[in-house]
Amino acid sequence: MSDLKERTKEIQAGPKGRHRTVQVTVGNVKVGGGAPIVVQSMTNTDTADIEGTVTQVAALARAGSEMVRITVDRDEAAAAVPHIREKLDKLGIDVPLIGDFHYIGHKLLADHPACAAALSKYRINPGNVGFKNKRDTQFTDIVEMALKHGKTIRIGANWGSLDQELLTKLMEENAKSPNPIDARAVTREAMVQSALLSAARAEEIGLPKDRMILSAKVSNVQDLIAVYRELAARSDYAIHLGLTEAGMGSKGIVASSAALGILLQDGIGDTIRVSLTPEPGGDRTVEVKVGQEILQTMGFRTFVPLVAACPGCGRTTSTVFQELARDIQSFIRDEMPSWKTRYPGVEQLNVAVMGCIVNGPGESKHADIGISLPGTGETPAAPVFVDGQKFRTLRGPSIATDFKALVIDYIEQRYGGAGAKAPAVTAAE
């Protein structure tokens, strides 16, 4: 019994305490040091296309991306960055922009000082910031540019573009070891060392810890977990999490959720990105929504009201509950940008849309407001529950419309201002 009590305490305590990291400021966003875990994303537009990039950054920011990374790969892209920043500011979108630099970042930042000033953070890859004798010089140039403009740097090691000199060195040392480990483990160690050695070099140049974020992205779930656990164990830098090249559709969502979920439960991670491959012409904001949902379902943050809905079975041959759940969820997401200011705390709302009498009433009672729709062969009536008590019974062809109206009324009465409260529960009709 004592073991059960201890296990119960552990479960009730929830996720492990957050890994203690040094807090970093990126534009107007706090990362690490106990700040809420930040959701970020990246555009897939040509940054030289100013209007297209502004449109996508705005969409990502409105969807909830708290930082947005853009590719800065050539002069035309670098020249466009200050104009992108200016147009976003005019739209009232103050989301920090992160410049993604590879190979010639030192040159682009030097040749385009307005770009260097407009960005809030520079992302560089120690595997391709420079090669051989040029590596230290070009790395130093970027760090000094960050110091000059008061910017943060993310040092992002990547499995697909790992520092080959470091990897070769570690492989040779491992081959000579009396107890060699497998090549994959050596590669993971190279990832960790690449990030940490680069961070140490940046500190030597003068960049403080509170201006650095580290990442070490791989595309395999188990490798990612191992690399980040080791990175966290050996440093207190702020950490960005992400499964690189996660994939398309459900594969990418499942892989990212599994990897990030385990690390977040371990207390590791200060900012995340879910790197989904969109369908051709698909909605880029999906990765933002998935990132938010990972954090919300795990209890780390709340972004939008939760809609609980049953999966359906032979008792629910009608599609009414599916359509209503979809409509309510879409309605909530669409309205959240304005609701955030009009109804403080509305993101805490729980709504239930259930399909039959088996679990419907019980689940609806657990929600703030819930409806139990009639299943196949059941009486054509839909009881609505408010704060655990039966509130009203809806009937007829307008059940979906009537319930949506009740949800709106509930939100207005509970979150509509000082002293607002939930609707009084009257005798059930």
Side-chain angles (χ1 to χ4, degrees):
M1 185 63 69
S2 61
D3 289 344
L4 178 59
K5 287 182 179 180
E6 290 302 314
R7 180 59 185 149
T8 301
K9 289 180 182 178
E10 182 182 330
I11 293 170
Q12 291 173 340
K16 294 180 181 178
R18 295 275 300 279
H19 168 58
R20 296 180 66 86
T21 58
V22 175
Q23 189 166 92
V24 176
T25 301
V26 182
N28 58 356
V29 176
K30 302 293 185 185
V31 178
I37 300 166
V38 173
V39 175
Q40 63 178 276
S41 56
M42 184 176 184
T43 60
N44 61 356
T45 57
D46 179 356
T47 305
D49 174 7
I50 295 172
E51 294 300 331
T53 302
V54 167
T55 298
Q56 192 172 90
V57 171
L60 290 167
R62 288 172 180 141
S65 184
E66 293 157 302
M67 296 189 285
V68 178
R69 183 156 49 111
I70 59 177
T71 298
V72 188
D73 58 346
R74 63 193 196 281
D75 287 307
E76 292 83 358
V81 170
H83 300 292
I84 292 168
R85 178 74 274 167
E86 181 181 3
K87 286 180 177 291
L88 289 169
D89 290 341
K90 286 181 179 178
L91 291 172
I93 296 172
D94 59 357
V95 64
L97 294 178
I98 304 164
D100 193 59
F101 294 99
H102 297 276
Y103 306 106
I104 58 169
H106 63 293
K107 185 178 185 301
L108 294 174
L109 288 168
D111 292 348
H112 299 274
C115 168
L119 295 169
S120 296
K121 183 172 74 172
Y122 311 151
R123 188 272 184 175
I124 58 175
N125 184 337
N128 60 33
V129 70
F131 299 99
K132 298 188 181 296
N133 296 333
K134 295 181 180 179
R135 174 179 286 119
D136 285 345
T137 300
Q138 294 176 186
F139 181 84
T140 299
D141 289 345
I142 295 175
V143 173
E144 289 179 343
M145 196 66 65
L147 288 167
K148 177 181 177 180
H149 291 279
K151 307 299 180 179
T152 296
I153 285 180
R154 170 154 76 94
I155 296 173
N158 193 293
W159 190 274
S161 50
L162 187 54
D163 182 341
Q164 291 303 302
E165 291 183 32
L166 175 61
L167 180 59
T168 299
K169 173 177 173 290
L170 293 180
M171 286 290 187
E172 291 175 349
E173 290 176 354
N174 182 60
K176 297 175 182 177
S177 170
N179 299 299
I181 57 178
D182 67 77
R184 202 168 191 89
V186 177
T187 305
R188 291 197 294 263
E189 174 63 17
M191 287 280 292
V192 175
Q193 286 198 27
S194 179
L196 292 178
L197 290 171
S198 296
R201 176 58 184 146
E203 285 195 72
E204 290 174 4
I205 297 167
L207 193 69
K209 274 189 174 182
D210 64 2
R211 296 264 291 281
M212 270 188 279
I213 296 174
L214 302 190
S215 66
K217 292 188 173 184
V218 304
S219 57
N220 177 278
V221 170
Q222 294 297 338
D223 287 326
L224 189 88
I225 294 167
V227 166
Y228 272 105
R229 281 176 171 169
E230 193 63 26
L231 186 63
R234 289 154 65 172
S235 76
D236 60 355
Y237 295 101
I239 289 178
H240 168 71
L241 291 185
L243 186 75
T244 191
E245 290 106 28
M248 183 180 286
S250 60
K251 185 271 179 185
I253 292 172
V254 170
S256 292
S257 300
L260 271 59
I262 290 170
L263 290 167
L264 291 167
Q265 188 73 10
D266 283 350
I268 299 168
D270 301 300
T271 172
I272 67 170
R273 181 194 171 200
V274 177
S275 301
L276 297 180
T277 303
E279 297 286 344
D283 185 358
R284 190 68 166 180
T285 64
V286 171
E287 67 175 43
V288 179
K289 296 170 186 174
V290 173
Q292 289 180 329
E293 287 168 3
I294 290 171
L295 294 178
Q296 184 156 340
T297 55
M298 294 192 67
F300 290 105
R301 291 187 66 180
T302 53
F303 297 94
V304 297
L306 290 174
V307 179
C310 65
C313 67
R315 291 176 175 269
T316 55
T317 54
S318 166
T319 61
V320 173
F321 86 94
Q322 298 163 334
E323 293 163 359
L324 181 56
R326 178 199 62 200
D327 291 349
I328 290 290
Q329 191 159 284
S330 298
F331 173 69
I332 286 171
R333 277 232 174 244
D334 291 343
E335 293 297 322
M336 273 306 293
S338 63
W339 283 1
K340 283 180 181 178
T341 54
R342 291 165 53 202
Y343 305 121
V346 69
E347 64 275 6
Q348 305 282 349
L349 177 70
N350 286 304
V351 181
V353 179
M354 306 304 294
C356 80
I357 200 171
V358 174
N359 292 318
E363 290 290 345
S364 296
K365 288 177 183 178
H366 287 299
D368 295 314
I369 179 168
I371 186 170
S372 179
L373 292 161
T376 305
E378 294 177 10
T379 303
V384 174
F385 297 84
V386 171
D387 295 329
Q389 298 183 54
K390 190 173 180 180
F391 177 66
R392 184 171 298 170
T393 299
L394 302 179
R395 295 180 174 86
S398 62
I399 285 178
T401 301
D402 293 343
F403 181 66
K404 185 183 291 186
L406 288 176
V407 172
I408 295 170
D409 288 345
Y410 184 93
I411 290 170
E412 288 178 346
Q413 292 185 50
R414 180 169 181 174
Y415 303 102
K421 58 183 180 180
V425 177
T426 57
E429 298 178 10

